[in-house]
Amino acid sequence: QLPLKSLIDGAYNLFLPNTQTGIQTALEVAEEPIMVEGDRTQLQQALLNLMINARDAMETLPEERRRLWIRAGLCERLGVTPRPPADASRGPFCCICVVDSGPGVDESIVEQIFEPFFRVDKSRSRELGGVGLGLAMVREVVRVHDGTIKVYTNEHGGTTFEVCGLAEYRDN
């Protein structure tokens, strides 16, 4: 079992040296003893890919508009419902939200962005560069760990990725 906070901190520390200058980052991670089951390397790589994707989505924005926010904790405390809705009898669920201030993702291509090598034109979203495996890898890691992932464009622009999964938490 892995402490959720340690998992987030590890991925965030890997991301920081590679960020563009001018990205404002914020971490809001529960201090509670939330534990997750899984492979640390795979989970951190998936989270790192989401952060890199967010960074790339904001590359054309002026520096003062580039914001990356990572929230993590128990779903119920974050106001997040796992998709599809989780079976509450299985235990508590935790969520990691990666939020950027980029242009967002057109709803018509949300499911396709997880396909390997998927590219879109800039009129529908940003150009997805690189080899095109980052989000496909994220989805597969989430699936293998019995989690769910949801992506949506925020009300005021930007994109949110919500990754939810089973957690162990004992409220003392």
Side-chain angles (χ1 to χ4, degrees), residues 42-43 46 50 114 136-150 162-165:
Q42 287 180 6
L43 292 170
L50 289 176
F114 292 103
M137 189 280 296
V138 169
R139 181 178 61 182
E140 183 61 14
V141 168
V142 170
R143 185 193 67 77
V144 166
H145 286 84
D146 295 324
T148 61
I149 186 165
K150 177 185 175 190
E162 291 177 353
V163 177
C164 299

Side-chain angles (χ1 to χ4, degrees), residues 32-49:
E32 305 162 311
I34 301 169
M35 304 297 282
V36 296
E37 193 75 37
D39 180 276
R40 177 182 296 275
T41 302
Q42 287 180 6
L43 292 170
Q44 282 184 337
Q45 183 63 52
L47 183 54
L48 182 61
N49 280 356

